[in-house]
Amino acid sequence: MTDTTTAELTVRPTASTIQQWWVLTVRMLTPTLRNGELATQIVGSIVFTIGYYIPLSRSWVRRRA
Amino acid sequence: MSSYAQYLTPLIVLQAIWFAAVSAAFRSATDSVQGINRRFKAMPIASLTPLASRMSASMYRCCVALTVSVACGHVIGFRFHDGVVHAVGFCVLVLLIGAALAFIGDLIGVATQNPEATAPLMLVPQVTLGLASTGLQPVERFPEWIQPFVRNQPLSQFVYALQALAGDSTSAAPEVRWSVIGPALAWVAGMILISVGLHMRVSKRRP
């Protein structure tokens, strides 16, 4: 192997900060789709709505009446 | 307010984005405890890039939480009454609060380096401030001794601002004025400034 080839093999391409940021962001986002975190987020909002609205809306209506 | 849905939805939105911040804290703690942050420091990566990527992922979760919770609010009767500008203002304020909470979550994750500890540390204030806020019922319905706390705590100030931006079909909603929006923005700015300052200190001590 010549010196030139060795040099070509060891030099890594420099990624821009934007590319690094994007790769790391995707690294954070991919597990949220796989491990159910996103589903938990969606279900959480629905549960908050049902859990607060159903029991408390009756007392709100009673108070206004 | 014309309906309880109109009154309650701002609190539901806030609880949903706080829930998203719990995930941010968990991810940050996991990265810290697995030594990923230390590894990034040894690589040719700008020092703020890992934090920026964690914040971007948190904002994505906040957008999901905002969309789903507003959709849920719409189902029970919540509407934006004051036009597009105020509706956009509502969403921007929610995302700003989400960013502040995500910063706090990230700080807790880096500081504790314990993923199991992040959920209780984030959920206890969420439940406490949520139940003792004006998001569920007006401040007059709380005992007198706790009313100053309920009125002035950050979640209540966020709820006032969001109720004002959402508007109402009656004149019962707070008006969009500096005295209503200002305290919420001040709380957000304070939360971000303090958590960023603490984050820098903690990150230096615990890579």
Side-chain angles (χ1 to χ4, degrees), chain A residues 30-59:
Chain A
T30 310
T32 65
L33 302 171
R34 266 205 310 256
N35 62 14
E37 204 177 306
L38 190 67
T40 311
Q41 196 68 60
I42 293 168
V43 171
S45 299
I46 296 168
V47 167
F48 285 135
T49 308
I50 294 170
Y52 284 135
Y53 183 72
I54 291 176
L56 295 172
S57 60
R58 284 167 179 257
S59 70

Side-chain angles (χ1 to χ4, degrees), chain B residues 54-126:
Chain B
R54 289 201 299 271
M55 287 304 296
S56 307
S58 298
M59 293 320 292
Y60 156 76
R61 283 191 285 264
C62 280
C63 287
V64 172
L66 171 64
T67 308
V68 177
S69 53
V70 168
C72 289
H74 191 85
V75 169
I76 59 174
F78 171 79
R79 299 288 183 274
F80 290 110
H81 287 277
D82 286 350
V84 178
V85 175
H86 284 187
V88 171
F90 181 99
C91 296
V92 169
L93 181 57
V94 168
L95 293 178
L96 275 174
I97 298 165
L101 291 172
F103 260 120
I104 293 171
D106 204 272
L107 168 67
I108 288 174
V110 172
T112 60
Q113 297 192 333
N114 183 353
E116 286 83 17
T118 53
L121 283 171
M122 290 294 289
L123 288 173
V124 168
Q126 178 189 9

Side-chain angles (χ1 to χ4, degrees), chain A residues 52-53 56-65, chain B residues 1-12 72-81 134-138 159 163 166-174:
Chain A
Y52 284 135
Y53 183 72
L56 295 172
S57 60
R58 284 167 179 257
S59 70
W60 178 271
V61 171
R62 255 202 311 267
R63 195 168 63 91
R64 290 188 75 196
Chain B
M1 289 286 206
S2 58
S3 70
Y4 191 56
Q6 199 67 22
Y7 187 86
L8 177 70
T9 300
L11 183 73
I12 291 171
C72 289
H74 191 85
V75 169
I76 59 174
F78 171 79
R79 299 288 183 274
F80 290 110
H81 287 277
T134 54
L136 291 175
Q137 55 182 355
V159 165
Q163 285 176 343
D168 192 30
S169 56
T170 67
S171 58

